[in-house]
Amino acid sequence: MVTTPDALVAEVAQQRRLVTPIPGPRSQELAARRSAAVAPGVSSTLPVYVERGGGAVLVDVDGNSFIDLGSGIAVTSVGHALPAVVDAIARQAARFTHTCFMVGPYEGYVEVCEQLNTRTPGDHAKLSALFNSGAEAVENAVKVARHATGRQAVIVFDHAYHGRTNLTMALTAKAAPYKQGFGPFAPEVYRVPMSYPLRDPEGMTGAQAAERALATADKQVGADTIAAVLVEPIQGEGGFVVPAPGFLPAIAEWCAARGVVFIADEVQTGFCRTGDWFACDDEGVVPDLVTTAKGIGAGMPLAGVTGRAELMAHVHSGGLGGTYGGNPVACAAALASIETMQSGDLAGAARRIGAAVAGVLGDLAARHPGVADVRGRGAMQAIELVKPGTLEPDPAAAAAIAAGCHREGVVVLTCGTWGNVIRLLPPLVIGDELLGEGLSVLAATADEVLA
Ligand code: PLZ
C-alpha cells in the first residue's frame, strides 16, 4: 500500500510563522544530543532541526515555519515534498529500491540518461552515466576525459568548488574549510585565474579574461598535455561569480582547437536554476562533458556525467560504475522532477524569481556602499559585501545578515572565497508573496547590519 502524501503536504502552509524563539527548546535538545553523537567536522547552517517541508517552507521540530531561500543548496528546485515526486518515490520504493544497475539494469536509469542526453546543451550524439553525488560526477568526468585523450593535466579556476573527495578537493580552490589538513592531494591539477568582473581590472572583457587564463595554461602546463578544462559556468560555493560575457565561449573554442575536453560543472547551475535548462545555454556554449546533480532529483542522491558519445564510449566496459549510482528510487524522483520542470516551465519561473530578487538586491546596493555587487542569473542571485569604499571582503556582515534572517524565519546561505557573499537559491515553485516576504526580511536585516 502506498499512502498518498497529499494530506501531509497540504498541512505545510506556505507562510512564515515563528512560535518560539530561534532555536526553540526541542531544537536545543537535539543540538545537545548532536554534539554527543555527530562528528563536529560536519557543520550546519541553521540553528534549528527540520521536521518537515512543503513547497518553499521548512517546519522545525518546535513548529516554526521558515521561508526556504536556499533549497538545501540548490537541490529542491521543485519544492519540498512535491506530491508528484513523493508519489514517484513511494511507487518505486514499493516495487524495488535497489538491484545495482551493474547487476540488474532497469528502465528508470535508461530514461534519466535519455533525458540528460536530450536536455543538456548541444544536439550532437550523447551518452550518460549516473552516480550519487556532484563530487562523484566530477571525478568520473575527469576519468572519461583522461581516458579519451590519453592526457593527464586538468585546468581549474580560482574560486572553483567541485567537491570534497580526494580528487575534487584538489580541483576545489578554497583551502579552509575544504582542504586544510587533508592532503596530499591528487596531482596534475593546475589553477588559473577566473573571470571575476568585480575584482578584475576595469573593462576586462570575457575574451581577455579567457586569454589570461589560457595563456597561463599554455605556458605553465602545455596544451598537448591537458586532458580537460573544468569550469562552473557560474561559480557556486566560490561566490556566485558570473564570468564576463565571452569568457566561456572563448574557453570552449580554445579547447576544441587543441583536443582538450571542455567540462562544464553544472552541479549547482543545472536544471532550470538559472532560467535555462543549463547555465551554458545562456551563451550557446556546448561543453564536451557536463556534470549534473543537485536539482535533478529533488534531494534524492543522483548525479550524472553526460557528453559526446565518442568520449563517453571511449571507456571500456566496467570502467565506470558504483554500487548505488543511478539508484532506482532516485531515478524515479528525477523523472518526476524533470517532468515538473518541463510542464510547469520552471525555467521561466526562475527568470521571474531572478527579476524580483535582483530588484530587491539592487535597491539594497543603492542604499549601502557595503554591497559591492549584485550578481547571478535566474533564481541564483547574490550580493557581495565589502568594507565600504574598498573591495576588502566583509564576511562578518554576511554572517550577521544570514544569522539575522535565520532568527526571523528566512533561510539564506552564505558563500564566497572570503565568506562575504549572501546567496539566494529559492525553490522555483515559490509563490510571489512568500518570496516577497522573504526578501523584505532579508532587506530589513541587511539595513540593520549595514546601517
Ligand atoms: N560541483 C559546482 O556546487 C556542491 C557543497 C556543500 P556534492 N556544492 C555544495 C559542501 O560544503 O559540501 C558542488 C557544486 C559544484 C560539485 C559539487 C559537489 O557536489 O553532491 O556535494 O558532492
Side-chain angles (χ1 to χ4, degrees):
M1 240 320 265
V2 173
T3 345
T4 132
D6 295 11
L8 272 185
V9 173
E11 280 176 34
V12 180
Q14 296 301 291
Q15 62 174 17
R16 179 174 68 106
R17 184 162 167 267
L18 300 183
V19 296
T20 72
I22 302 299
R26 295 215 52 221
S27 277
Q28 291 185 39
E29 272 170 42
L30 282 169
R33 271 174 61 194
R34 174 207 182 120
S35 56
V38 180
V42 185
S43 68
S44 298
T45 300
L46 290 180
V48 298
Y49 284 71
V50 176
E51 194 266 329
R52 71 179 57 182
V57 169
L58 286 173
V59 183
D60 78 8
V61 288
D62 291 290
N64 298 297
S65 294
F66 291 74
I67 303 173
D68 185 1
L69 302 185
S71 300
I73 323 188
V75 172
T76 51
S77 297
V78 298
H80 296 284
L82 182 76
V85 171
V86 177
D87 202 45
I89 289 172
R91 280 172 196 281
Q92 179 56 46
R95 283 205 296 271
F96 62 96
T97 53
H98 177 79
T99 56
C100 185
F101 190 74
M102 302 183 310
V103 176
Y106 39 87
E107 185 174 355
Y109 188 115
V110 176
E111 207 175 331
V112 170
C113 290
E114 288 168 349
Q115 287 290 337
L116 283 167
N117 298 344
T118 310
R119 296 191 188 276
T120 50
D123 50 16
H124 50 284
K126 293 175 216 155
L127 295 169
S128 291
L130 304 181
F131 305 96
N132 301 293
S133 69
E136 212 188 338
V138 172
E139 291 242 359
N140 279 281
V142 171
K143 280 167 68 172
V144 170
R146 284 178 169 159
H147 199 281
T149 58
R151 307 172 183 174
Q152 294 185 353
V154 181
I155 302 296
V156 290
F157 291 85
D158 286 338
H159 314 288
Y161 183 90
H162 299 291
R164 293 174 179 272
T165 57
N166 186 262
L167 174 58
T168 59
M169 273 193 293
L171 300 169
T172 290
K174 189 173 170 177
Y178 305 124
K179 303 164 74 161
Q180 239 177 2
F182 297 138
F185 303 111
E188 288 306 313
V189 173
Y190 300 92
R191 195 167 307 285
V192 297
M194 178 64 181
S195 166
Y196 194 151
L198 175 69
R199 292 175 182 278
D200 282 343
E202 208 177 317
M204 180 178 255
T205 65
Q208 288 164 343
E211 168 59 23
R212 175 180 63 178
L214 298 168
T216 306
D218 227 347
K219 284 197 207 83
Q220 298 183 12
V221 189
D224 58 354
T225 70
I226 299 174
V229 174
L230 167 65
V231 67
E232 298 155 88
I234 297 176
Q235 290 183 322
E237 305 308 302
F240 279 28
V241 179
V242 185
F247 179 73
L248 295 172
I251 290 178
E253 204 179 299
W254 185 91
C255 288
R258 288 160 184 80
V260 173
V261 178
F262 177 46
I263 309 174
D265 181 350
E266 293 247 18
V267 164
Q268 190 151 162
T269 49
F271 285 99
C272 299
R273 175 54 53 190
T274 62
D276 287 300
W277 276 94
F278 293 92
C280 282
D281 292 330
D282 186 61
E283 289 187 275
V285 169
V286 178
D288 299 311
L289 299 177
V290 182
T291 56
T292 52
K294 290 189 185 281
I296 188 177
M300 296 301 285
L302 187 68
V305 179
T306 302
R308 294 191 184 280
E310 64 275 20
L311 295 177
M312 294 297 290
H314 200 275
V315 178
H316 48 276
S317 175
L320 303 174
T323 304
Y324 298 113
N327 169 275
V329 182
C331 285
L335 292 170
S337 299
I338 292 168
E339 156 55 27
T340 301
M341 289 176 199
Q342 172 73 40
S343 61
D345 185 22
L346 294 196
R351 290 193 288 272
R352 286 195 301 281
I353 291 168
V357 174
V360 172
L361 299 182
D363 291 346
L364 262 183
R367 288 201 292 279
H368 300 291
V371 179
D373 201 10
V374 176
R375 58 177 182 250
R377 190 181 303 146
M380 181 172 185
Q381 298 282 338
I383 48 175
E384 177 161 353
L385 298 161
V386 297
K387 304 274 166 58
T390 73
L391 279 181
E392 193 190 327
D394 191 352
I401 293 170
C405 288
H406 302 159
R407 276 194 302 275
E408 291 299 320
V410 177
V411 180
V412 301
L413 306 175
T414 59
C415 64
T417 292
W418 301 278
N420 64 327
V421 176
I422 299 271
R423 59 171 153 173
L424 300 177
L425 291 159
L428 308 181
V429 297
I430 192 168
D432 293 346
E433 244 178 74
L434 200 65
L435 176 63
E437 187 183 341
L439 292 172
S440 320
V441 170
L442 169 64
T445 310
D447 282 340
E448 239 171 72
V449 170
L450 301 173

